[in-house]
Amino acid sequence: MRAGIIGVTGYGGMELFRLLSAHTEITEVVLYSSSKAGKQLSEEIQHLYHIHDQKLRSLKQLSSDGLDIVFSSAPSGVSSEFLPSLVNEKLKIIDLAGDFRLKDPDTYRAWYKKEPPPQPLVNEAIYGLTEWKREEVQNGNLIANPGCYPTAALIGILPLLKENMINPTSLVIDAKSGISGAGATPGKGTHFSQINDSLGIYKINQHQHIPEIEQTIQSCTDTATKITFNTHLVPMTRGIMTTMYAELTDSATSRSIKEIFGSYYDSEYFVRVHREKANLFTKQVYGSNFCDVTFAVDERTNRITVISCIDNLLKGAAGQAVQNMNVMFGINETEGLRSSPMFP
């Protein structure tokens, strides 16, 4: 197949290019840019010097290049401008931004402060949380790749909500991410002098991933709820750890929860459920498409703590996008994603 990437100079785009370049079913990866067309890739991404020196193409060439799939790794708001004209039955699209994730246009306006894409396309878009939406992804032409924080949180908490093991109104999600989650463009909030040797919280109760998580909880579990969700930046390059707290229902025990996680994920290659109270750390999924999960029941307070870890650029972005591509084209789901985590 021939694949195209829009936005290859961002962190997610770089990882997409690395994964697709080694994918056995991809014969060519064509690269596009809205602002840097004509430049060599290695001019913008120096670590690829003398490895990949092809020129970035204009977006105007995209529709005539005979591609099978396009990945858009452009910032939110950009995809909704040019992707609608590309959608057709022959070209499959995976959007890594947030433009097509939220189904309600007013919700999108409120949280993203932008105008949403055309509603028919939003309705057509499949939310690509692969382990929970595999059948829809398989039949989709436009995939809204999930955000990194929602991926980590939802994989960890959906089985318990689906099986009524926790009180949904009590759910609190505390999430911490490496700096690469803020993107490749430098900013005051990610300046070395501010981030190094420090831990910071941001977008308190206002993160745009809140409605995405709530919407997916409802679509996957038929549970309408409002969550408390907050995010922090940690002075490391990659990784997300979500720590989630909720009240247990009367039927929940350590044994039943372990069995529920097993029933949902024992057959899922990329979700590794560890023993109860396992000590997880983000480095154990670094550079991989795995999501590692553990939990701890507190009988004293009748609450549960669920912890999940991912690499925000892989399972939280490019890796899950390639996983979705594999599902869409009937390829082995692990193709191009079998590398073990990088350690140390």
Side-chain angles (χ1 to χ4, degrees):
M1 300 186 298
R2 300 180 75 242
I5 300 175
I6 301 166
V8 69
T9 56
Y11 290 149
M14 292 181 202
E15 283 292 64
L16 268 172
F17 185 56
R18 183 176 68 86
L19 295 174
L20 293 173
S21 296
H23 197 290
T24 59
E25 298 294 328
I26 301 296
T27 57
E28 184 180 5
V29 184
V30 188
L31 309 176
Y32 302 87
S33 174
S34 59
S35 59
K36 300 171 183 177
K39 291 187 176 182
Q40 282 190 333
L41 177 63
S42 55
E43 289 182 54
E44 300 297 320
I45 307 176
Q46 195 168 342
H47 69 270
L48 296 179
Y49 181 63
H50 274 341
I51 300 174
H52 297 288
D53 291 321
Q54 67 261 55
K55 290 186 177 181
L56 302 176
R57 301 189 188 188
S58 167
L59 292 178
K60 295 178 181 178
Q61 298 175 252
L62 202 152
S63 59
S64 61
D65 276 344
L67 302 175
D68 297 288
I69 186 166
V70 170
F71 296 86
S72 177
S73 191
S76 292
V78 177
S79 297
S80 59
E81 294 180 10
F82 58 80
L83 285 187
S85 64
L86 299 175
V87 176
N88 60 65
E89 293 181 358
K90 295 182 179 179
L91 180 65
K92 295 186 182 295
I93 296 173
I94 298 180
D95 183 33
L96 279 73
D99 290 14
F100 296 93
R101 295 174 190 158
L102 299 181
K103 296 301 184 183
D104 180 69
D106 291 333
T107 302
Y108 181 88
R109 291 187 187 96
W111 289 88
Y112 280 87
K113 313 302 180 186
K114 297 179 176 71
E115 282 301 305
Q119 193 61 38
L121 282 184
V122 174
N123 294 340
E124 179 184 338
I126 303 300
Y127 187 72
L129 188 66
T130 324
E131 284 77 13
W132 284 81
K133 300 285 187 177
R134 186 173 284 109
E135 185 175 342
E136 294 96 321
V137 169
Q138 187 174 6
N139 297 309
N141 288 317
L142 172 61
I143 304 298
N145 218 56
C148 51
Y149 283 126
T151 295
L154 291 163
I155 287 177
I157 209 69
L158 281 178
L160 303 185
L161 288 165
K162 182 73 172 177
E163 301 299 328
N164 300 311
M165 291 288 105
I166 59 174
N167 175 1
T169 63
S170 70
L171 180 58
V172 176
I173 303 173
D174 179 280
K176 298 175 177 67
S177 173
I179 307 303
S180 61
T185 303
K188 181 179 178 181
T190 56
H191 194 288
F192 178 83
S193 300
Q194 180 165 320
I195 293 298
N196 185 50
D197 282 340
S198 184
L199 173 66
I201 190 170
Y202 67 103
K203 294 184 178 179
I204 302 173
N205 296 329
Q206 294 179 320
H207 202 287
Q208 69 271 16
H209 285 154
I210 291 174
E212 181 179 338
I213 294 171
E214 292 175 349
Q215 175 183 273
T216 309
I217 287 174
Q218 182 159 18
S219 70
C220 290
T221 70
D222 293 322
T223 301
T225 190
K226 289 181 169 58
I227 62 169
T228 297
F229 171 83
N230 278 303
T231 54
H232 310 72
L233 285 181
V234 180
M236 62 185 187
T237 303
R238 294 174 182 246
I240 283 179
M241 176 176 283
T242 58
T243 308
M244 296 168 278
Y245 309 91
E247 295 175 356
L248 292 166
T249 59
D250 293 339
S251 60
T253 64
S254 290
R255 182 175 179 177
S256 64
I257 290 167
K258 182 178 180 180
E259 289 174 350
I260 284 168
F261 273 123
S263 68
Y264 279 89
Y265 294 135
D266 278 354
S267 61
E268 296 291 349
Y269 181 82
F270 291 116
V271 180
R272 305 189 297 186
V273 180
H274 293 249
R275 59 177 173 80
E276 184 177 3
K277 299 179 182 178
N279 294 324
L280 300 191
F281 49 98
T282 57
K283 202 65 178 283
Q284 71 190 47
V285 295
Y286 195 98
S288 80
N289 198 51
F290 290 111
C291 176
D292 282 11
V293 178
T294 188
F295 69 95
V297 170
D298 187 346
E299 295 180 356
R300 185 180 66 88
T301 61
N302 195 41
R303 297 182 69 86
I304 188 171
T305 303
V306 180
I307 302 100
S308 63
C309 293
I310 64 169
D311 183 319
N312 54 291
L313 295 179
L314 269 293
K315 186 59 171 172
Q320 187 162 215
V322 172
Q323 185 181 356
N324 281 324
M325 178 195 73
N326 290 341
V327 173
M328 294 171 83
F329 286 92
I331 303 167
N332 187 308
E333 198 166 313
T334 65
E335 182 58 49
L337 299 168
R338 297 191 190 100
S339 296
S340 59
M342 299 165 59
F343 192 88

